[in-house]
């Protein structure tokens, strides 16, 4: 459900279940938060400019 | 192998001319270089290795561009090449073969309690206080197979079907591996939180 991979029926069932079950509600929120955390905080690396240049040069050479 | 491509066998239906090749390369492949580099970095943890891996992937992609269908998912296609290059070339070369990784993976796959309930005590508020390095370390501490599904799903937003193609595994395996990967990540995050005195 978090990944939008549940069918509509499954989605409906899970939604109504989460509304009434505290365990699953907490679990769902925790997983959602972890995903947010990953997206916003995992370190990102800048592509080295010379890598892009090097790839383009090698392609041009090969054409 | 070069001149025979002109035959009407049909196996080279989508053969592109040189101009088209460069066009596809620039328009469909290069825009993903940022994601590719970060994927490589999260697999190798090293700048030089990542550069080699990405360059290798792009050169392969160009060389085999005829097997790419224009307008289809270039990003998934590139990720698959990178993942295979990593397994076939880079992991072999690396000084530390990832034996431990496989062991951890095996143990997990063979464990009976597939649907073990979440026993990890981790609160949403705790997560909000975590720093980028802590989150990154927790992710990096996962065995490569588990790390990979988290990267593909949570960071890159691939669907299960795309992941199945990238990883050459059935969709059911994607699902269960992701489930275990998330549980493992929760454990790592929880122990980080404890060691940092969050709780
Ligand atoms: Zn429940």
């Amino acid at each position: 459900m978090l990944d939008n991979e549940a069918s509509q029926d499954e989605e409906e069932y899970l939604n109504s279940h989460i509304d009434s079950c505290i365990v699953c509600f907490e679990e769902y929120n925790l997983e959602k938060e972890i995903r947010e955390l990953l997206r916003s905080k995992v370190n990102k690396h800048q592509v080295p400019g010379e890598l892009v240049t090097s790839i383009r040069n090698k392609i041009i050479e090969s054409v | 192998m070069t001149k025979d491509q002109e035959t009407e066998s049909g196996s080279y239906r989508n053969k592109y001319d040189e101009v088209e090749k460069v066009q596809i390369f620039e328009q469909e492949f290069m825009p993903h270089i940022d994601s590719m580099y970060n994927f490589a970095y999260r697999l190798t943890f090293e700048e030089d290795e990542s550069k080699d891996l990405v360059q290798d992937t792009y050169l392969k992609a160009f060389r085999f561009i005829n097997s790419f269908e224009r307008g289809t998912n270039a990003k998934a296609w590139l990720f698959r090449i990178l993942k295979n290059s990593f397994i076939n070339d880079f992991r072999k070369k690396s000084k530390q073969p990832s034996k431990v990784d496989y062991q951890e993976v095996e143990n997990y796959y063979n464990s009976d309690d597939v649907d073990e309930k979440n026993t990890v005590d981790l609160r949403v508020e705790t997560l909000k206080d975590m720093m980028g390095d802590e989150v990154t370390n927790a992710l990096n501490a996962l065995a490569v197979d588990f790390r990979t599904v988290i990267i593909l799903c949570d960071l890159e937003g691939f669907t299960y079907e795309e992941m199945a193609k990238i990883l050459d595994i059935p969709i059911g395996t994607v699902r269960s591996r992701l489930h275990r990967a998330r549980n493992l990540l929760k454990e790592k995050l929880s122990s980080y939180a404890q060691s940092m005195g969050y709780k």
Side-chain angles (χ1 to χ4, degrees):
Chain A
M1 176 156 93
L2 188 67
D3 304 324
N4 293 318
E5 298 276 353
S7 71
Q8 202 168 347
D9 282 355
E10 288 168 331
E11 191 94 3
E12 272 170 31
Y13 169 76
L14 291 169
N15 269 322
S16 68
H17 179 79
I18 282 176
D19 276 341
S20 56
C21 173
I22 182 75
V23 177
C24 291
F25 174 78
E26 285 173 347
E27 179 77 6
Y28 178 72
N29 278 319
L30 186 64
E31 297 213 339
K32 219 167 85 180
E33 193 60 39
I34 290 177
R35 164 180 284 190
E36 275 313 302
L37 192 72
L38 287 167
R39 288 198 177 151
S40 60
K41 291 194 181 166
V42 163
N43 297 343
K44 292 185 178 71
H45 300 272
Q46 185 72 41
V47 183
E50 80 265 20
L51 174 63
V52 178
T53 313
S54 156
I55 290 174
R56 287 212 167 100
N57 287 341
K58 286 214 157 58
I59 295 301
I60 291 163
E61 277 168 31
S62 79
V63 173
Chain B
M1 192 168 86
T2 43
K3 286 298 148 197
D4 301 87
Q5 290 180 0
E6 322 293 334
T7 60
E8 289 166 16
S9 65
S11 49
Y12 291 97
R13 260 171 301 143
N14 52 357
K15 189 176 184 298
Y16 307 113
D17 64 31
E18 299 302 305
V19 178
E20 285 172 322
K21 279 187 191 175
V22 174
Q23 227 173 39
I24 293 169
F25 192 81
E26 284 297 330
Q27 291 171 359
E28 305 210 36
F29 295 174
M30 285 310 267
H32 301 296
I33 194 153
D34 210 56
S35 296
M36 296 285 281
Y37 184 72
N38 275 281
F39 184 37
Y41 206 105
R42 288 169 188 143
L43 291 174
T44 65
F45 305 128
E46 270 189 42
E47 190 179 321
D48 284 343
E49 293 259 289
S50 306
K51 285 201 270 188
D52 287 350
L53 189 49
V54 171
Q55 174 153 308
D56 210 62
T57 303
Y58 271 95
L59 297 184
K60 264 184 208 156
F62 191 72
R63 191 168 141 213
F64 296 104
I65 202 161
N66 281 316
S67 61
F68 172 74
E69 195 115 11
R70 217 171 181 170
T72 59
N73 192 333
K75 189 178 172 186
W77 195 72
L78 292 169
F79 266 67
R80 185 172 178 277
I81 300 175
L82 192 147
K83 186 257 339 180
N84 285 338
S85 297
F86 172 68
I87 290 173
N88 297 328
D89 308 331
F90 284 79
R91 207 140 73 166
K92 266 184 215 152
K93 267 194 276 173
S94 120
K95 289 166 212 146
Q96 291 179 303
S98 38
K99 274 179 198 150
V100 189
D101 283 3
Y102 279 121
Q103 198 54 53
E104 196 180 338
V105 173
E106 284 303 308
N107 289 345
Y108 251 85
Y109 288 161
N110 294 334
S111 74
D112 290 340
D113 49 344
V114 172
D115 260 316
E116 80 279 14
K117 262 291 157 195
N118 173 32
T119 49
V120 179
D121 189 13
L122 187 60
R123 292 171 19 218
V124 170
E125 291 72 34
T126 309
L127 290 174
K128 291 193 161 127
D129 291 335
M130 286 202 158
M131 310 300 285
D133 281 350
E134 291 157 14
V135 183
T136 307
N137 287 342
L139 176 65
N140 290 349
L142 295 183
V144 67
D145 284 355
F146 292 125
R147 193 164 71 238
T148 302
V149 287
I150 300 256
I151 294 168
L152 296 180
C153 184
D154 291 333
L155 294 178
E156 299 296 342
F158 284 113
T159 64
Y160 289 1
E161 201 185 332
E162 288 164 343
M163 290 167 71
K165 281 183 190 149
I166 292 169
L167 301 172
D168 294 303
I169 54 176
I171 221 161
T173 311
V174 170
R175 210 179 286 272
S176 59
R177 198 177 288 181
L178 193 57
H179 179 71
R180 282 171 202 158
R182 286 187 173 141
N183 280 341
L184 281 170
L185 184 64
K186 258 182 252 169
E187 281 174 31
K188 305 276 183 203
L189 287 170
S190 165
S191 56
Y192 266 105
Q194 266 161 356
S195 69
M196 304 302 286
Y198 281 129
K199 293 179 54 50

